[in-house]
Amino acid sequence: MALFKKRAAGKPGEWYYCLQHGKVEEGPQCRAADRMGPYATREEAAHAMETAAERNREWQNDPRWNDDVSDGPGQGSTGREP
């Protein structure tokens, strides 16, 4: 039985943005919790943080979601009874 898990091998053409190191990597080099991706190109991976920020803004301004308004007493932001 192996004592250490084998790290996932990098795949050419898959790009990741490492949150811990703040750099673009080809193939998964860092642990999954520390990276964003995969992205199709190095350029897309380089802009991972900007893409995430833009998607967060879109989600926060999406009229289909309204977490600030309660539907009634005791329902809170989820719209479900406690």
Side-chain angles (χ1 to χ4, degrees), residues 23-80:
K23 66 177 188 170
V24 174
E25 301 172 341
E26 186 172 11
Q29 296 177 18
C30 292
R31 65 188 197 115
D34 292 332
R35 68 177 189 256
M36 297 174 72
Y39 295 94
T41 67
R42 181 179 188 87
E43 184 70 19
E44 286 179 23
H47 294 287
M49 296 303 291
E50 293 90 354
T51 301
E54 181 181 327
R55 289 178 180 165
N56 285 342
R57 279 191 301 275
E58 289 173 4
W59 175 77
Q60 289 169 348
N61 296 317
D62 189 334
R64 295 174 294 176
W65 296 95
N66 190 358
D67 290 342
D68 295 334
V69 178
S70 155
D71 290 334
Q75 292 184 341
S77 63
T78 63
R80 292 177 279 168

Side-chain angles (χ1 to χ4, degrees), residues 1-18:
M1 183 163 103
L3 295 175
F4 300 100
K5 291 183 179 181
K6 185 177 179 183
R7 193 177 249 184
K11 294 181 182 178
E14 283 188 345
W15 296 92
Y16 295 84
Y17 181 79
C18 176

